[in-house]
Amino acid sequence: MEKTTVLDLDSAISTPTSDSAEKKLRRDFRRKGISTALFSGLSYGFYTAFMTLAMSMGIWNVWYGEGSGLSLFATTYLLAAIGAALTDSSSAIWALGIAGVRGRLGDFTRSIRTRPGAIMIGSAIIGGPLASTAYVVGLQMAGSIVVPISALCPAIGAVLARVIFKQELTARMMLGIAICFFASVLIGGTAGLDADASPTVMLGIFFGFLAALFWGIEGCVAGYGTSMIDPEIGITIRQVTSGLTNLILLVPIFGFIAGENGTAMVFQALADSQSMPYFIIAGLAAYGAFMFWYKGNAMCGAPLGMACNGTFSFWGPLCCWLVLGIAFGIAGWTMAPIAWVAAIIMVFGIFVIAMNPMDLFKKDNNQ
């Protein structure tokens, strides 16, 4: 009895300390998850900036020039598809290289043959070539104002999840969706009323909405796949699928419609020493954007991770302004003050969709 009493006493004394240490570990892990998810939004901003920079130099200046001989369809859609294909393919090479260094290529090939792997491939086709091309078209037509518009994907994803999967759509989530759409209307109205705005701005904003729709669909479809596959492997599947689909299907189809040899143009772009280094940087940033997003979701929870990633509504225009406008002196990469305010409002709306923002200021006694 004495030994039992001593053991029970020791256990009683040590348990609070153990619980306190466990709570601290959980809080630290969650904080790291938030930091990781926030970094995904920043990475997305640099992916946008460097991809756009790559498409503004070298052979791209010739293609977008008045004497290129390319049709309007080719300069609008074919070049956007080529730019998205080069970025996603560069990202896929980064993903395969990192998986190879970590000895995980076997996991990649095995996962492709599974049902979750097939779901990841399907979602990558929707969110890769379709969304990425629409996003690039929007950027070329309207500039960085498209970034916060495309950040509507969490709001659209929440609506689609309700319609397709009958998931709960609470009053708080509907409020967040309303906030996001209010911010997008504010951005679109500002762009349309700007006397100096390009006539293609509103069409570019439409393509930004289209990208948000496709990414919202991808988020709904990929949820199951990413719950069954390690994020690093899932991202590799996504980027490889997106890059190959762009190169093998989308570029040749657009090239055929435009009356151009899209594949030959891809090889011309690959041989361009001025633009390719920036496509490679953009590919690394794209890999980081998706990788840190999924990793952050796993560490701090999908709702909070999604909200933190949605801060690219703000980071995207800021990175474009810093890289394109400040570092390289390219005109047209600033936004009106009201558009910056709307971008911040949209970030708040995304947080409202994902979680109750007040929870961030409450002490969680279970952690």
Side-chain angles (χ1 to χ4, degrees), residues 2 8 55-56 80 83 93 117 135 150 156 158 164 177 189 230-231 252-253 289 304 351-352 359 365:
E2 291 182 0
D8 289 344
M55 295 178 68
S56 68
I93 293 171
Y135 184 58
S150 67
I156 293 175
I164 299 172
I177 292 169
D230 180 86
I253 290 172
L304 184 54
F351 268 93
V352 172
D359 289 344
N365 294 324

Side-chain angles (χ1 to χ4, degrees), residues 135-354:
Y135 184 58
V136 176
V137 171
L139 285 171
Q140 297 301 315
M141 287 186 167
S144 58
I145 204 169
V146 166
V147 181
I149 295 296
S150 67
L152 281 169
C153 50
I156 293 175
V159 174
L160 292 174
R162 171 61 181 171
V163 174
I164 299 172
F165 300 112
K166 308 302 180 184
Q167 293 183 3
E168 183 182 13
L169 193 61
T170 64
R172 172 180 54 77
M173 295 172 70
M174 288 189 288
L175 174 61
I177 292 169
I179 292 172
C180 286
F181 278 98
F182 167 74
S184 68
V185 170
L186 195 62
I187 292 170
T190 302
L193 295 174
D194 190 347
D196 298 326
S198 166
T200 63
V201 166
M202 295 308 296
L203 184 59
I205 288 176
F206 165 76
F207 277 101
F209 275 114
L210 204 58
L213 173 63
F214 289 138
W215 275 324
I217 296 173
E218 179 192 12
C220 290
V221 175
Y224 172 77
T226 53
S227 68
M228 301 292 289
I229 298 177
D230 180 86
E232 184 177 320
I233 302 303
I235 293 305
T236 304
I237 293 174
R238 184 206 185 276
Q239 298 305 81
V240 169
T241 301
S242 181
L244 289 177
T245 307
N246 265 312
L247 290 172
I248 297 174
L249 292 179
L250 203 60
V251 170
I253 290 172
F254 281 174
F256 175 79
I257 296 173
E260 303 288 342
N261 188 335
T263 302
M265 293 175 70
V266 168
F267 282 106
Q268 282 183 276
L270 286 170
D272 183 43
S273 60
Q274 293 186 50
S275 61
M276 274 310 300
Y278 296 108
F279 276 118
I280 293 171
I281 296 173
L284 177 60
Y287 171 81
F290 288 101
M291 180 62 204
F292 290 124
W293 176 28
Y294 289 135
K295 186 175 181 181
N297 286 355
M299 295 176 72
C300 67
L304 184 54
M306 179 178 69
C308 291
N309 173 264
T311 56
F312 80 82
S313 171
F314 174 80
W315 290 118
L318 179 63
C319 290
C320 286
W321 175 62
L322 291 174
V323 174
L324 299 167
I326 302 299
F328 285 86
I330 301 175
W333 290 99
T334 58
M335 293 202 312
I338 189 64
W340 286 106
V341 172
I344 296 173
I345 291 174
M346 188 171 292
V347 170
F348 176 73
I350 292 169
F351 268 93
V352 172
I353 294 171

Side-chain angles (χ1 to χ4, degrees), residues 16-37:
T17 304
S18 177
D19 289 347
S20 178
E22 184 179 351
K23 289 178 182 178
K24 184 178 185 303
L25 285 173
R26 288 182 179 179
R27 285 196 298 269
D28 290 344
F29 188 73
R30 187 169 182 265
R31 289 193 191 100
K32 289 179 181 177
I34 293 173
S35 299
T36 300

